[in-house]
Amino acid sequence: MTPEILYREGGVIVCLKPGGVLCEGGQGENMLSLLGALTGSEIYPVHRLDRETAGVMAFAESSAAAAFLSKQISSGELKKSYFAVTAQSIDPEEGEMNDLLFRDSAKNKSYVVKRERRGVRKASLEYSLTAQNEGLYLWRVSLRTGRTHQIRAQFASRGAPLYGDTRYGAKQKDGFGLFAYSLTLKLPSSAEQREFAVMPKLTEQPFCNFGEWLK
């Protein structure tokens, strides 16, 4: 599992993270060690994707570049969009999800809760149904906040866990229905924002059901 580098300049790396690879920490290979081996640089993490999720990510090769990216994350200038697949629909098929999320570190799971208390944070995203095929639903999701397992927990709380996400109630075990397809950020060489977008592989479950829409 080797990450594909999409852009590298000014200490900023944009790459495609394979599914099943940790962003950092843990035993064995992770994105920091894999990118370090490719570039010969020390790699700094600035945001994360869950191990199961593949998609576009940004990393830094210096503390200055890490601060440059982290500032964009804090201000909301760095924008992330996903494709999500579920086996259940949501009513309405387009809108916002605004919830309170509690993160249980011991269980490595996030829960939608009804009231604010210690450890609870606001979570917000936009979603729309893009396609439906053979009992599966393809959603386009744009994050407003970046909470741990946010998309997974918010969709599951509405009776539509992501395909293959057994931690949040899905029954399938032959794929994982979340892909970070788009990352928009400012680059060190320009004040303008640039989008990096990659479509999921159409040979992988469950995205192979949506070849017409993901070309």
Side-chain angles (χ1 to χ4, degrees):
M1 293 186 180
T2 302
E4 177 187 353
I5 294 178
L6 306 174
Y7 169 90
R8 184 186 180 194
E9 184 183 356
V12 171
I13 296 175
V14 179
C15 65
L16 182 61
K17 171 191 172 298
V21 177
L22 284 169
C23 290
E24 57 181 307
Q27 296 181 344
E29 292 181 327
N30 57 56
M31 288 298 293
L32 302 188
S33 62
L34 291 172
L35 285 174
L38 282 175
T39 63
S41 303
E42 182 177 1
I43 305 298
Y44 296 75
V46 293
H47 69 111
R48 66 184 302 277
L49 286 178
D50 299 334
R51 178 201 287 263
E52 300 90 342
T53 306
V56 185
M57 292 190 70
F59 290 86
E61 292 184 271
S62 67
S63 58
F68 174 78
L69 292 172
S70 296
K71 184 177 180 180
Q72 294 184 57
I73 294 171
S74 298
S75 66
E77 293 177 287
L78 190 147
K79 302 182 185 301
K80 295 178 281 187
S81 296
Y82 297 73
F83 283 119
V85 178
T86 66
Q88 292 82 28
S89 187
I90 293 173
D91 185 23
E93 294 179 343
E94 180 176 357
E96 303 175 1
M97 295 184 188
N98 297 292
D99 294 302
L100 297 173
L101 279 191
F102 172 72
R103 173 70 178 158
D104 189 328
S105 299
K107 295 182 179 180
N108 190 26
K109 192 172 180 180
S110 295
Y111 299 87
V112 171
V113 297
K114 295 184 180 295
R115 69 180 194 279
E116 293 192 29
R117 63 180 189 271
R118 189 174 183 179
V120 170
R121 304 180 74 184
K122 293 180 180 179
S124 180
L125 59 78
E126 299 176 11
Y127 71 95
S128 60
L129 182 64
T130 298
Q132 178 179 351
N133 189 35
E134 297 183 7
L136 297 180
Y137 302 83
L138 178 70
W139 308 88
R140 193 185 301 265
V141 182
S142 296
L143 287 182
R144 291 177 174 172
T145 56
R147 312 305 182 205
T148 302
H149 293 186
Q150 178 178 332
I151 297 172
R152 300 165 66 178
Q154 288 190 277
F155 269 77
S157 74
R158 289 159 173 81
L162 304 187
Y163 184 102
D165 193 2
T166 55
R167 181 180 298 275
Y168 286 89
K171 306 300 183 185
Q172 310 87 5
K173 297 182 180 179
D174 59 340
F176 192 74
L178 188 62
F179 184 88
Y181 80 91
S182 171
L183 185 68
T184 301
L185 70 159
K186 288 182 180 178
L187 302 175
S189 59
S190 172
E192 296 182 359
Q193 287 189 315
R194 177 173 168 184
E195 180 186 21
F196 296 89
V198 177
M199 295 296 105
K201 291 182 179 179
L202 297 180
T203 56
E204 296 182 358
Q205 282 282 19
F207 297 103
C208 58
N209 288 61
F210 299 101
E212 292 288 328
W213 296 269
L214 293 174
K215 287 182 179 178

